[in-house]
């Protein structure tokens, strides 16, 4: 029997999301989430996707090790345990791979040490990702563990796009450059867009707009990323749910010197209390649209600022790419919010971009075109699937050895 299952783990600071996939047909066998790890009210929600059974437990789960053991137990109850010979590998989402990791990588001690060395540039994410890797390794030391990096897809960016215009010696000493994030999604969605167009990825230029709570845009030429909107950290670029995106760096000096705020306070302000939430008190696009329908001016201005930034990036990446075959919307907002897609494309007919109102209004969870038939540039909605992409990359790496 060939082992064809891959467990995908996404370990956050207080949560673990997981999916078990069978890569013989890319089907999903189980999925779930452990949240509030370390609190009294931890919660595990597990769904067996072959039977549709869902189980939920609330109660203290002390740490990631306990969380993974609980997940293993739930999988075991469905006959899908971590001890199964059908499990080929565990694929881990790792947020920051720096310049070192350009591809998915089988985890060994040296890989762990390098992910650790990147903690200064990813202080929130990499420690949690590492905890997940270490715990999974301890549970199944014999099983290949693969790290799939959010930054890897963007390592093809040319230096002209990846470097900030600061002294390179200082930049290099502190590993300061534009890394980009959401790479697993940008990779998957740009490839699926080529498939939707019936063309090979190397033959198309695509602008990908990943609009979730975090949001980023990327310019993909022939399947390779040439620019992306997030930078050293996920703070740069588009207006997001709670992050400001681009701003004049002098705002930070001003808040410190004139506003008397500490660096930590400014960090929290820009990452957690800005963006749509900072502008109007809501970061959920559904709520913002509902408020706009009730003539709420604050929500309308937040929406306009969000769209203005999005348009600027579409224009910028159009210029970076020279010719564009498709602009594609993905993630929670991109896949669901027709008014965002309509507003982002409005007025861009000169660039060959247009959205067909009827196609745009269709609600569906499949990849689809929303541009008029004769459009010069295709506009598409392509649901992202980061777990499938992590599983695919993991299986491609270890499947060879099976
Ligand atoms: P993340 O993975 O970054 O947490 P998601 O890609 O799941 O984010 O996107 C979450 C966001 O998607 C929500 O905050 C909300 O703004 C938006 N969203 C989800 N469903 C809808 C919908 N039906 N209409 C408009 N926006 C939606």
């Amino acid at each position: 029997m060939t082992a064809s299952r891959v467990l995908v783990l996404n370990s956050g600071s207080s949560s673990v999301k997981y999916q078990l996939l069978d890569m013989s047909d890319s089907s999903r066998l189980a999925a779930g989430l452990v949240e509030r790890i370390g609190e009294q009210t931890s919660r595990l929600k597990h769904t067996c996707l072959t039977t549709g059974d869902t189980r939920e437990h609330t109660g203290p789960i002390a740490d990631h090790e306990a969380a993974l053991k609980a997940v293993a137990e739930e999988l075991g109850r469905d006959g899908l345990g971590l001890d199964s010979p059908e499990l080929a590998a565990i694929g881990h989402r790792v947020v920051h791979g720096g310049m070192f990791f350009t591809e998915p990588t089988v985890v060994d001690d040296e890989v762990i040490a390098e992910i650790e060395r990147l903690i200064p540039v990813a202080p929130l994410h990499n420690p949690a990702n590492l905890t997940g890797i270490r715990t999974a390794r301890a549970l199944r030391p014999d099983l290949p563990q693969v790290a799939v990096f959010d930054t890897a897809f963007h390592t093809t960016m040319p230096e002209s796009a990846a470097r900030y215009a600061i002294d390179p010696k200082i930049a290099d000493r502190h590993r300061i450059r534009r890394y980009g994030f959401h790479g697993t999604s940008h990779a998957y969605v740009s490839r699926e867009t080529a498939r939707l167009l019936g063309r090979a990825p190397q033959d198309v230029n695509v602008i990908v707009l990943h609009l979730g709570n975090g949001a980023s845009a990327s310019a993909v030429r022939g399947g390779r990323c040439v620019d992306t909107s997030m930078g050293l950290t996920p703070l740069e670029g588009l207006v997001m749910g709670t992050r400001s995106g681009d701003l004049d760096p002098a705002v930070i000096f001003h808040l410190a010197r004139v506003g008397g705020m500490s660096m930590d306070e400014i960090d929290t302000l820009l990452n957690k209390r800005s963006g749509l939430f900072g502008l109007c008190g809501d970061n959920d696009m559904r709520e913002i649209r509902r408020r706009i329908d009730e003539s709420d001016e604050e929500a309308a201005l937040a929406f306009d600022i969000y769209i203005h930034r999005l348009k600027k990036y579409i224009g910028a990446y159009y210029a970076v790419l020279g010719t564009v075959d498709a602009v594609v919307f993905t993630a929670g907002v991109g896949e669901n919010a027709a008014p965002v897609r309509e507003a982002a494309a409005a007025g861009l007919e000169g660039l060959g971009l247009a959205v067909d109102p009827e196609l745009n209004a269709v609600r569906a969870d499949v990849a689809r075109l929303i541009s008029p038939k004769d459009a010069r540039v295709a506009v598409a909605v392509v649901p992202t699937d980061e777990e499938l992409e992590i599983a695919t990359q993991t299986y491609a790496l270890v499947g060879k050895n099976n």
Side-chain angles (χ1 to χ4, degrees):
M1 174 175 48
T2 312
S4 60
R5 291 180 190 159
V6 174
L7 178 65
V8 175
L9 286 182
N10 181 352
S11 308
S13 55
S14 65
S15 70
V16 175
K17 285 188 210 144
Y18 61 95
Q19 281 194 12
L20 182 70
L21 293 96
D22 186 335
M23 297 316 291
S24 63
D25 58 2
S26 300
S27 62
R28 253 161 269 253
L29 303 174
L33 165 73
V34 188
E35 50 190 354
R36 297 195 289 275
I37 296 171
E39 294 179 31
Q40 290 303 309
T41 56
S42 315
R43 190 175 74 118
L44 189 160
K45 188 172 178 196
H46 172 89
T47 304
C48 175
L49 295 161
T50 54
T51 60
D53 263 7
T54 294
R55 297 188 287 276
E56 221 177 296
H57 307 280
T58 313
I61 296 179
D63 50 26
H64 281 72
E65 189 180 342
L68 261 194
K69 281 189 176 146
V71 169
E73 210 167 287
E74 287 304 325
L75 288 167
R77 286 174 68 185
D78 296 324
L80 301 167
L82 291 194
D83 50 357
S84 161
E86 287 180 61
L87 189 60
I90 301 183
H92 297 266
R93 174 186 183 216
V94 180
V95 167
H96 216 310
M99 296 204 5
F100 189 79
F101 294 110
T102 58
E103 296 181 328
T105 307
V106 176
V107 173
D108 59 19
D109 291 342
E110 185 40 44
V111 169
I112 288 187
E114 185 58 30
I115 297 172
E116 228 163 23
R117 281 194 280 277
L118 289 162
I119 287 176
V121 284
L124 294 180
H125 295 106
N126 275 26
N129 301 157
L130 272 172
T131 307
I133 290 175
R134 288 203 173 98
T135 311
R137 252 185 137 194
L139 281 180
R140 276 295 306 269
D142 56 315
L143 198 67
Q145 313 275 333
V146 174
V148 179
F149 299 92
D150 262 23
T151 46
F153 184 62
H154 304 303
T155 55
T156 52
M157 279 197 288
E159 288 295 282
S160 52
R163 285 226 173 242
Y164 291 108
I166 61 172
D167 182 341
K169 287 193 285 302
I170 295 176
D172 290 347
R173 190 178 319 139
H174 300 290
R175 299 194 192 216
I176 294 170
R177 61 189 279 120
R178 307 191 56 255
Y179 294 101
F181 299 88
H182 291 143
T184 311
S185 174
H186 287 282
Y188 175 82
V189 169
S190 55
R191 229 180 32 242
E192 287 301 305
T193 304
R195 194 207 299 267
L196 181 68
L197 299 180
R199 296 169 67 182
Q202 57 270 27
D203 294 338
V204 292
N205 290 352
V206 183
I207 297 173
V208 180
L209 305 169
H210 176 113
L211 310 178
N213 202 20
S216 63
S218 69
V220 182
R221 174 180 290 133
R224 290 164 68 85
C225 178
V226 292
D227 204 352
T228 194
S229 59
M230 285 178 167
L232 172 74
T233 77
L235 184 55
E236 191 178 340
L238 299 174
V239 176
M240 312 184 206
T242 65
R243 296 189 195 115
S244 62
D246 294 336
L247 48 79
D248 180 346
V251 170
I252 296 166
F253 317 145
H254 190 82
L255 287 172
R257 291 180 188 136
V258 181
M261 290 174 74
S262 71
M263 277 304 149
D264 284 347
E265 284 170 343
I266 299 171
D267 191 331
T268 304
L269 173 77
L270 299 182
N271 274 297
K272 304 223 167 92
R273 309 193 57 80
S274 295
L276 292 169
F277 176 79
L279 286 164
C280 74
D282 272 307
N283 61 335
D284 192 312
M285 193 53 82
R286 287 164 285 203
E287 188 56 21
I288 290 170
R289 290 305 309 174
R290 195 194 57 73
R291 284 172 57 184
I292 293 172
D293 288 344
E294 291 173 359
S295 308
D296 182 320
E297 285 179 15
E298 212 178 41
L301 180 59
F303 185 82
D304 288 349
I305 295 170
Y306 182 94
I307 296 296
H308 179 77
R309 185 83 52 84
L310 197 52
K311 270 202 164 118
K312 284 207 320 199
Y313 270 92
I314 295 172
Y317 288 173
Y318 208 117
V320 165
L321 290 169
T323 58
V324 175
D325 298 289
V327 173
V328 54
F329 291 86
T330 193
V333 175
E335 290 167 31
N336 297 297
V340 167
R341 300 190 297 252
E342 183 191 328
L348 301 186
E349 295 80 8
L351 299 180
L353 269 166
V355 162
D356 178 301
E358 271 174 39
L359 295 175
N360 191 34
V362 173
R363 301 195 66 83
D365 56 5
V366 293
R368 59 202 186 273
L369 292 173
I370 56 168
S371 42
K373 290 253 165 332
D374 54 351
R376 233 184 330 130
V377 177
V379 182
V381 180
V382 174
T384 192
D385 195 336
E386 287 165 281
E387 288 79 13
L388 176 60
E389 181 66 15
I390 291 172
T392 304
Q393 293 192 13
T394 299
Y395 193 61
L397 194 59
V398 303
K400 296 178 214 142
N401 308 326
N402 260 307

